[in-house]
Amino acid sequence: QQDGVEIFACLDDYLSSTQDISSTLDLVQEVYQRIILYPEEWKYQKENNQYKFVLNRIASCYLELEQYVKSLRFYREELHVKQLIGEKSSQAITYHQIGIVEQELHNYEEARSNYKSSLQIKVKCKDERSQASTYHQLGTIEEEIASKYYELGMIEEAFQKCNEAQYNYKKAIDIKIKYKDRRSQASTYCNLGIVDEMLANIIICNQVEVGFDFSQKIENAYLNYRKALEIYTEYNDRNYQGHCYYHLGSLDYLIGNFTEARYNYQQALVIYMERKNFGGQAAIYGKFGFLAEAEGEYQEAAHQLIRSLHIFSKDSESNDNTSTKFIISEVKRIYKSHPSDQLLNTIGQAIGCNE
């Protein structure tokens, strides 16, 4: 067992330096196969961190590799060990991680329950600073559900979930500001912007009176995206700068500021090309297509949509069958609204490239 302790010390040093998740998982699994043969009383000693460490490493590796069911198994075992030895405060971390995995599996009720269990422990232990990350995650759940309700046309339900998302994001941002966690504020500001943008879209697209000021929602979204962009720029987080420019472009498009929308989309595209973010590039070319359509440039609209389609078709990581079908349907829609021989040829090229 002393040899085991030395192995863990070397393992910890190695894992801290490597970015090779698959090799790390292989190594930790090998150690796990040894440690499960140790006596039960050794594994569950309160002062013994080795078994918990291995379980946590395996779970986190599976999470990185998007093998969520396997990740969940080891996080739950880690939680079980902590409960057996009465290690209360650190259970909050594991509950939080289980919530993340359940959320990835779209088990929203389970995710919410685990986040709340994490939050309860953090409140009880008076660990206010770490509550911010859990409030943020609770916000992301409600945001995801709101988006699904909106897609289904369930407007009232979408608004309710948007409100719940905003409540949690605002709790998170207040704590982050209080403890001067500036870098982590960016993601919460960005998500607050997304929720306001969603509310603005619901109002304008459904042409309903829902008790919200459309202009105020647009203004709030701009403000939050710009705060996020400022922080991401400060820390040179290029990919997320691209996301902020993308969302700023979407806001400008929504209110008809096409010149500003094109500028922001172009800024996002430069970053996505720099970072080889092919999915982001495809999304931007699609946006260029819709901009061209709004300006009456239907041939250009089809051309830009095809550029988007080419990227989705060629790049394995960004290849999304739903997206490719949507793009083809949009090109066809443009042709039906504004038929011409040129557009018909363009559609044929698009379908041919997709095959």
Side-chain angles (χ1 to χ4, degrees):
Q1 291 171 16
Q2 181 60 37
D3 290 341
V5 174
E6 293 175 0
I7 290 173
F8 287 117
C10 295
L11 177 62
D12 197 18
D13 289 341
Y14 172 79
L15 294 179
S16 298
S17 62
T18 184
Q19 298 296 317
D20 186 344
I21 302 301
S22 295
S23 297
T24 298
L25 178 60
D26 290 342
L27 178 58
V28 184
Q29 286 278 29
E30 184 177 339
V31 175
Y32 174 73
Q33 293 303 319
R34 289 190 187 187
I35 203 172
I36 58 175
L37 301 176
Y38 285 15
E40 293 293 300
E41 58 269 20
W42 181 87
K43 289 188 286 187
Y44 298 121
Q45 287 176 353
K46 190 168 186 178
E47 64 277 7
N48 182 7
N49 293 317
Q50 282 77 26
Y51 186 43
K52 290 179 297 180
F53 170 80
V54 171
L55 293 171
N56 178 272
R57 286 296 191 176
I58 295 174
S60 61
C61 284
Y62 278 130
L63 177 57
E64 287 281 338
L65 295 170
E66 299 182 1
Q67 296 185 39
Y68 300 123
V69 174
K70 291 180 179 179
S71 178
L72 196 58
R73 172 195 162 194
F74 284 95
Y75 275 132
R76 283 175 172 167
E77 177 61 20
E78 180 192 6
L79 179 63
H80 176 65
V81 173
K82 290 179 176 181
Q83 290 172 333
L84 279 178
I85 65 178
E87 191 176 287
K88 190 67 175 176
S89 61
S90 72
Q91 290 179 35
I93 300 170
T94 312
Y95 273 121
H96 183 96
Q97 291 303 113
I98 291 173
I100 289 174
V101 178
E102 293 282 18
Q103 188 173 353
E104 291 289 352
L105 291 167
H106 305 294
N107 297 332
Y108 294 123
E109 289 299 328
E110 287 295 323
R112 188 185 290 110
S113 175
N114 280 283
Y115 287 141
K116 288 185 175 179
S117 292
S118 175
L119 194 58
Q120 287 172 358
I121 295 170
K122 290 175 179 180
V123 170
K124 187 172 183 180
C125 294
K126 298 181 179 179
D127 184 2
E128 185 181 32
R129 185 171 190 164
S130 72
Q131 293 171 31
S133 62
T134 305
Y135 276 120
H136 179 93
Q137 287 303 126
L138 284 166
T140 63
I141 289 180
E142 310 310 338
E143 179 192 322
E144 288 178 31
I145 297 173
S147 180
K148 292 180 184 298
Y149 278 143
Y150 174 56
E151 290 172 4
L152 293 170
M154 301 170 67
I155 304 305
E156 290 184 10
E157 292 84 354
F159 267 97
Q160 179 182 344
K161 289 299 176 181
C162 281
N163 287 334
E164 291 175 18
Q166 284 183 322
Y167 169 82
N168 286 295
Y169 286 142
K170 287 175 180 177
K171 293 284 286 187
I173 203 67
D174 287 345
I175 295 171
K176 291 177 179 183
I177 291 171
K178 179 178 179 180
Y179 288 95
K180 296 180 172 59
D181 291 334
R182 182 159 173 77
R183 188 168 193 170
S184 71
Q185 291 170 29
S187 61
T188 306
Y189 278 128
C190 190
N191 283 82
L192 279 167
I194 290 170
V195 173
D196 275 315
E197 184 181 352
M198 192 187 309
L199 288 167
N201 266 292
I202 291 172
I203 294 169
I204 196 169
C205 293
N206 290 275
Q207 297 181 341
V208 293
E209 293 292 335
V210 289
F212 288 100
D213 184 341
F214 172 77
S215 298
Q216 187 63 54
K217 291 301 169 189
I218 292 292
E219 184 179 336
N220 289 347
Y222 269 123
L223 179 64
N224 285 308
Y225 286 142
R226 283 170 177 156
K227 284 181 178 179
L229 179 59
E230 179 185 345
I231 297 170
Y232 285 135
T233 302
E234 189 178 315
Y235 288 94
N236 197 32
D237 195 331
R238 293 289 285 164
N239 207 47
Y240 282 104
Q241 290 174 41
H243 296 342
C244 290
Y245 279 120
Y246 175 91
H247 284 295
L248 286 167
S250 296
L251 283 176
D252 284 315
Y253 174 80
L254 184 63
I255 61 176
N257 289 341
F258 298 146
T259 301
E260 288 296 317
R262 183 171 283 104
Y263 169 81
N264 283 303
Y265 286 144
Q266 186 62 46
Q267 293 299 309
L269 181 61
V270 168
I271 294 171
Y272 290 152
M273 293 180 73
E274 171 193 310
R275 306 296 295 179
K276 294 182 171 58
N277 182 338
F278 297 109
Q281 293 173 39
I284 293 297
Y285 284 124
K287 292 294 187 180
F288 283 153
F290 294 128
L291 268 174
E293 181 189 9
E295 294 175 325
E297 301 290 337
Y298 305 113
Q299 184 67 26
E300 177 66 12
H303 172 68
Q304 294 292 349
L305 287 166
I306 289 168
R307 294 182 76 177
S308 175
L309 179 64
H310 285 177
I311 296 173
F312 277 128
S313 300
K314 291 179 181 179
D315 182 65
S316 59
E317 288 189 8
S318 62
N319 194 344
D320 181 343
N321 192 46
T322 302
S323 296
T324 56
K325 287 181 178 179
F326 172 73
I327 293 167
I328 291 172
S329 70
E330 287 299 291
V331 175
K332 291 180 177 179
R333 177 186 59 77
I334 292 172
Y335 171 73
K336 288 180 180 179
S337 300
H338 307 278
S340 73
D341 291 341
Q342 286 181 315
L343 276 176
L344 187 59
N345 291 334
T346 298
I347 294 169
Q349 292 173 11
I351 296 174
C353 289
N354 194 44
E355 293 174 347

